[in-house]
Amino acid sequence: MAWALKLPLTDEVIESGLVQDFDASLSGIGQELGAGAYSMSDVLALPIFKQEESNLPPDSENKILPFQYVLCAATSPAIKLHDETLTYLNQGQSYEIRMLDNRKLGELPEITGKMVKSIIRVVFHDRRLQYTEHQQLEGWRWNRPGDRILDLDIPMSVGMVDPRANPTQLNTVEFLWDPSKRTSVFIQVHCISTEFTMRKHGGEKGVPFRIQIDTFKENDGEEYTEHQHSASCQVKVFKPKGADRKQKTDREKMEKRAPQEKEKYQPSYETTILTECSPWPEVTYVNNSPSPGFNSTHNSFPVAEGNGSPGHQPEPVVQVADIESCLTDTINLLPAATPQDAQQWLHRNRFSPFCRLFTNFSGADLLKLTREDVIQICGPADGIRLFNALKGRVVRPRLTVYVCQESQQAREQQQKHENGDTASSTFFVYHAIYLEDLTAVELTEKIAQLFNISPRQISQIFKQGPTGIHVLVSDEMIQNFQDEVCFVLDTMKAETNDGYHIILK
């Protein structure tokens, strides 16, 4: 071994070496670090800083920022220098966002004279909440059924074309606008920051949101999928008047600070300028399936054939062949249904807004959901309706009436029975009539439908009473019928017209 060949060192040599090393280690004490002691560029080149910078758009001195968005709300004065601004908003209050054309003369001529599409989102600022955004928004939907997180105040907005709010995306709105014209969009945020805190006992620090705007221009296919610019700002939303009180509290705190301390904070600005950021990750969804109706014709609120409503995204077209392949049961969803069949069943039963949530659910998966599961996913109103549809529950009618049409043969058999001829037997076939409104008009329509005649051919309906009298059937009489009552129908020619009277025996 190599170490076995070395000669042993004397104590004097070892001691001399230790002294020299100790002196060398103390040689830098008391001296100031020079400019060349370390390089800041080397520090910023560390992986941790590169990871943070990867989320930002690439910087370039010559990069063109075609648009600028200004939120007309004051920034907080309690924000330190070099930190991102923070703006306080009131819940449900309309705030203006000015959409400004920031191009120089001759820049980006392909946009000149054309519309662009902007998508406004309210998203979480904290990464922890961004990872669970879908679950957070579904929980908010369950607690606030029928409400939206973000809305457009259309009457106050100027220069906005084709505003849209997808019912399945509560925190997103989109619209078209012409950069060459004045455009101001008014938005309303209906959720407050404390709705997403872990504890809700009062006095909690609300979570910050981000208002982000992504703008797209038309591609060669006249679809708004080519990304142009994105910008965002940090906000907190309070209950009505809460933002004003918070702004006043921050201003009073800053006034009490020493002048040296005030220099560490940035002033409050009357408006908030949205700073450039990376596109929202969901832009891949926008690129793959652009919103229907946005094309060069710029028609407001396009309505598909059949049923449609303004601002509602057209539902995917279901081919007739696909429907016929899964119509083995037109009411109930079968356990053997594939995810595609389940999607078509949801469309047919008016559950289209939830098709995206149940994309990978087969018929068996949906049928395994409990009532509590469905209500938590879809909200109380739609959840109960979906649960009843899944279980195939049919609403029981208010009144069931069994009727049989009397014939000449039946009269002869009845006469023989009255004369004591018990050997003969009579077989009557009854039909069920289900009533919901419990009115004479409804009974007339159901009888006419049963015997394939027009309701106009039935003049009056009578009920045979004691001693054979004919009592006119009214709404009140029908309401007092016993459920599952049986009648034999007889007809009598009307005297005044070509119709017939129906007699219930």
Side-chain angles (χ1 to χ4, degrees):
M1 306 268 316
W3 58 270
L5 299 176
K6 291 184 179 180
L7 296 176
L9 297 177
T10 61
D11 294 340
E12 291 79 4
V13 175
I14 296 175
E15 183 178 355
S16 175
L18 292 175
V19 170
Q20 292 177 2
D21 293 339
F22 184 71
D23 290 341
S25 65
L26 297 178
S27 60
I29 296 180
Q31 299 180 4
E32 295 183 358
L33 293 174
Y38 66 92
S39 173
M40 181 59 70
S41 61
D42 295 337
V43 176
L44 294 177
L46 293 175
I48 184 174
F49 292 101
K50 287 186 177 181
Q51 182 179 4
E52 292 296 328
E53 291 177 354
S54 64
N55 295 327
L56 299 175
D59 281 335
S60 176
E61 294 181 358
N62 299 323
K63 184 177 180 180
I64 300 174
L65 299 180
F67 307 112
Q68 188 178 55
Y69 319 116
V70 180
L71 173 63
C72 296
T75 62
S76 170
I79 304 300
K80 291 187 176 181
L81 292 173
H82 310 299
D83 286 350
E84 184 180 10
T85 60
L86 177 61
T87 304
Y88 302 135
L89 304 180
N90 287 316
Q91 178 189 23
Q93 182 174 330
S94 295
Y95 289 92
E96 179 185 8
I97 298 181
R98 297 172 184 169
M99 315 291 289
L100 304 178
D101 186 358
N102 203 33
R103 296 173 297 157
K104 296 181 181 178
L105 185 63
E107 290 180 342
L108 296 177
E110 63 272 17
I111 303 179
T112 304
K114 294 185 178 181
M115 293 277 189
V116 295
K117 181 177 78 170
S118 289
I119 301 176
I120 304 180
R121 293 179 174 89
V122 173
V123 296
F124 291 113
H125 175 76
D126 296 338
R127 289 186 179 180
R128 175 182 60 84
L129 292 174
Q130 289 178 7
Y131 294 142
T132 61
E133 177 179 308
H134 179 72
Q135 292 84 346
Q136 297 287 342
L137 296 185
E138 286 303 316
W140 190 88
R141 183 204 300 268
W142 183 72
N143 291 321
R144 303 269 297 274
D147 291 347
R148 290 187 54 84
I149 290 178
L150 179 64
D151 266 329
L152 288 171
D153 192 343
I154 297 178
M156 296 187 65
S157 301
V158 177
M160 182 175 59
V161 180
D162 283 356
R164 290 178 178 268
N166 193 321
T168 62
Q169 296 175 325
L170 305 181
N171 62 328
T172 303
V173 294
E174 56 187 63
F175 55 91
L176 301 178
W177 60 288
D178 186 349
S180 63
K181 298 179 181 179
R182 178 199 167 197
T183 303
S184 289
V185 179
F186 283 79
I187 64 169
Q188 298 172 341
V189 183
H190 298 290
C191 64
I192 59 177
S193 296
T194 54
E195 287 186 276
F196 299 96
T197 52
M198 297 299 295
R199 298 180 179 84
K200 297 182 180 180
H201 303 296
E204 306 90 353
K205 185 178 181 181
V207 300
F209 300 126
R210 299 198 70 80
I211 294 179
Q212 176 157 338
I213 302 178
D214 300 295
T215 299
F216 305 85
K217 70 175 183 179
E218 279 185 317
N219 58 12
D220 295 336
E222 297 184 347
E223 297 175 340
Y224 293 90
T225 58
E226 190 171 339
H227 177 259
Q228 281 294 297
H229 181 241
S230 294
S232 65
C233 67
Q234 184 181 191
V235 299
K236 279 190 176 182
V237 185
F238 297 81
K239 290 184 177 180
K241 302 296 183 180
D244 304 325
R245 291 191 294 267
K246 179 62 176 174
Q247 187 80 359
K248 180 180 179 182
T249 301
D250 287 355
R251 186 170 60 250
E252 292 174 350
K253 287 182 178 179
M254 294 305 302
E255 292 175 353
K256 295 178 181 179
R257 293 183 181 272
Q260 296 81 2
E261 288 293 322
K262 291 182 180 179
E263 295 177 357
K264 299 179 181 180
Y265 293 84
Q266 53 183 290
S268 175
Y269 300 98
E270 293 184 359
T271 58
T272 304
I273 298 178
L274 279 67
T275 57
E276 187 187 13
C277 65
S278 299
W280 187 251
E282 287 188 2
V283 293
T284 54
Y285 149 78
V286 176
N287 290 337
N288 292 335
S289 57
S291 301
F294 286 125
N295 47 47
S296 58
T297 57
H298 310 313
N299 292 327
S300 299
F301 299 125
V303 179
E305 293 183 4
N307 295 330
S309 59
H312 190 282
Q313 298 285 2
E315 298 177 0
V317 178
V318 182
Q319 300 296 332
V320 176
D322 296 333
I323 295 179
E324 292 177 350
S325 65
C326 64
L327 280 186
T328 54
D329 193 330
T330 57
I331 299 178
N332 297 331
L333 179 67
L334 301 181
T338 65
Q340 292 77 16
D341 295 340
Q343 290 288 304
Q344 293 167 6
W345 182 88
L346 291 170
H347 278 292
R348 291 196 306 271
N349 290 273
R350 296 177 290 114
F351 295 108
S352 301
F354 307 104
C355 286
R356 184 181 176 188
L357 295 176
F358 299 114
T359 301
N360 298 319
F361 279 65
S362 64
D365 295 332
L366 287 173
L367 292 171
K368 290 177 183 178
L369 295 174
T370 64
R371 185 174 184 270
E372 290 73 18
D373 293 337
V374 179
I375 290 177
Q376 185 174 1
I377 295 173
C378 304
D382 289 322
I384 294 174
R385 189 168 66 89
L386 176 57
F387 180 77
N388 290 337
L390 288 172
K391 302 306 177 183
R393 296 186 175 182
V394 180
V395 180
R396 182 178 175 84
R398 297 178 62 186
L399 179 64
T400 302
V401 177
Y402 301 116
V403 297
C404 172
Q405 186 176 14
E406 187 177 26
S407 62
Q408 182 64 31
Q409 183 182 4
R411 294 193 187 97
E412 294 176 357
Q413 294 291 345
Q414 182 68 19
Q415 185 67 30
K416 292 180 180 180
H417 179 71
E418 293 176 355
N419 295 335
D421 187 0
T422 58
S424 61
S425 60
T426 304
F427 181 75
F428 294 96
V429 178
Y430 283 82
H431 300 273
I433 293 179
Y434 303 106
L435 301 179
E436 293 291 344
D437 298 333
L438 304 184
T439 62
V441 174
E442 183 185 21
L443 180 60
T444 302
E445 293 175 350
K446 291 296 179 69
I447 293 176
Q449 182 181 1
L450 180 61
F451 297 107
N452 295 322
I453 62 175
S454 172
R456 296 180 180 178
Q457 293 181 262
I458 302 177
S459 299
Q460 298 288 347
I461 299 179
F462 299 97
K463 182 179 181 297
Q464 184 171 309
T467 67
I469 63 173
H470 293 162
V471 182
L472 181 64
V473 174
S474 63
D475 296 347
E476 187 176 1
M477 178 183 290
I478 295 177
Q479 293 167 7
N480 285 277
F481 280 171
Q482 292 184 357
D483 194 21
E484 297 188 340
V485 64
C486 300
F487 293 109
V488 176
L489 300 186
D490 193 8
T491 58
M492 183 175 61
K493 188 72 172 63
E495 300 84 0
T496 57
N497 52 38
D498 295 334
Y500 292 88
H501 298 309
I502 301 295
I503 301 174
L504 306 178
K505 295 184 179 180

